[in-house]
Amino acid sequence: MQQQRMISYREEEHERGPRDAPEWEIWIHITAVNTALGYRNIAGQPYWQRAPRKQQAKDMVARQVLFALGLSPSDIQ
């Protein structure tokens, strides 16, 4: 998304819970949106998800951001 200049964002990741069963919390803070491409302006909004694996949490929050931008489930692979 950022490489295609759709949005700019800052990402945070936090590992929570016990060492034997950590949980990852991923935050995406949207800083800018290219509204000329027809996306909703969600700049200034934070999005987050929590999951047992870091990549799973990243994938979940990325889908959340795409939906917030106005993409439909059929647009997202």
Side-chain angles (χ1 to χ4, degrees):
M1 291 183 292
Q2 200 159 239
Q3 291 173 344
Q4 297 173 359
R5 299 178 192 237
M6 291 170 56
I7 65 172
S8 293
Y9 63 90
R10 180 175 53 84
E11 185 177 311
E12 287 180 51
E13 53 186 55
H14 305 279
E15 187 176 10
R16 309 244 188 248
R19 288 229 177 258
D20 61 336
E23 194 170 61
W24 286 92
E25 185 176 280
I26 305 294
W27 285 80
I28 300 288
H29 300 274
I30 308 299
T31 56
V33 176
N34 186 344
T35 56
L37 296 175
Y39 300 112
R40 290 185 194 134
N41 189 356
I42 58 171
Q45 298 294 317
Y47 296 89
W48 68 276
Q49 288 290 332
R50 190 179 290 170
R53 293 186 335 234
K54 186 191 310 189
Q55 189 59 52
Q56 182 183 16
K58 283 184 174 193
D59 292 346
M60 290 167 56
V61 76
R63 285 182 64 84
Q64 187 179 11
V65 168
L66 290 171
F67 288 139
L69 284 168
L71 278 76
S72 68
S74 62
D75 295 330
I76 301 169
Q77 299 176 4

